[in-house]
Each structure stands twice: as structure tokens, then as C-alpha cells.
Amino acid sequence: MLKVIVLYQASVGPVYGGRLRNDLRAQGYEISPGSLYPLLHSLEQSDLLKSRLKVYKGRMRKYYEITVCGKTCLDEMRTQVGDIVREVFFEIAPETKGTPAENHEII
């Protein structure tokens, strides 16, 4: 879920580590810098985020933005999470192709 939230926040606009930590804390996720920054670097190395340095109040701050690949990944994750939510909370099975008999194996 952290990856989904980070990609979503970056899709809204540029984000930096401190702001992300605060946003995640507000949503009930307590994450240390030692976990958050490796996650951000991993998303950047996977071409899901890109970063740029900017001076803020005399200090360098790294801002992260979502990439085209990141937007595609976020859309795919939204679909998967949406399917899970519909199935678990509303007991609506994900749509499947074929007839019911074709979708189930007989053991």
C-alpha cells in the first residue's frame, strides 16, 4: 500500500520525503526515514519516479515526480486494489472471461 500512496501523492504534484512522511503518518502509516528513502530510491531506479534537487530555505531538497511508467503502474495498482476492495467488502467477484464452468477446475 505504501507504494500506491507514494505514487499517488507524486501524481498529484512534486513531493519530498518529509512531506510524504507526514502524509503517511496522517493516514496511519508510521514509516522511518530509513525505510522511506530506500523506497523512494527504489521507485526512482524502477523509472516510476524521477527526482530533482531544489533549494528550499537555503537547503537542498529532493523532489519526486511520477513518470509516465509510474502513472501506468499506479493505474494498474488501482485496478488491482479496486478488485480486492469490491470482492472483500462488497462480495462482488472480479469479472472473469468464459462460462462459470470454464473458470473453475474440477479437482
Side-chain angles (χ1 to χ4, degrees):
M1 287 305 296
L2 290 174
K3 288 181 184 179
V4 174
I5 295 168
V6 169
L7 288 174
Y8 169 73
Q9 292 291 340
S11 76
V12 174
V15 293
Y16 58 93
R19 177 175 161 211
L20 280 171
R21 281 192 70 212
N22 292 337
D23 290 346
L24 289 166
R25 186 178 300 122
Q27 295 177 28
Y29 295 96
E30 189 63 42
I31 185 168
S32 71
S35 295
L36 178 60
Y37 289 102
L39 172 64
L40 290 170
H41 295 299
S42 171
L43 293 172
E44 187 174 20
Q45 288 177 341
S46 298
D47 194 34
L48 302 177
L49 293 177
K50 62 182 176 182
S51 67
R52 64 183 168 84
L53 292 173
K54 185 176 177 183
V55 177
Y56 178 78
K57 293 186 178 182
R59 298 180 66 192
M60 295 299 288
R61 183 181 279 174
K62 190 181 261 192
Y63 286 86
Y64 294 89
E65 299 176 62
I66 198 164
T67 63
V68 172
C69 187
K71 288 178 186 178
T72 301
C73 182
L74 177 60
D75 289 342
E76 290 171 3
M77 286 194 272
R78 281 178 165 158
T79 298
Q80 291 173 359
V81 170
D83 288 345
I84 292 168
V85 168
R86 281 187 289 284
E87 186 171 359
V88 172
F89 291 100
F90 302 105
E91 297 182 0
I92 300 170
E95 291 186 29
T96 56
K97 296 182 181 183
T99 64
E102 293 172 331
N103 294 325
H104 299 283
E105 286 185 353
I106 299 174
I107 299 175

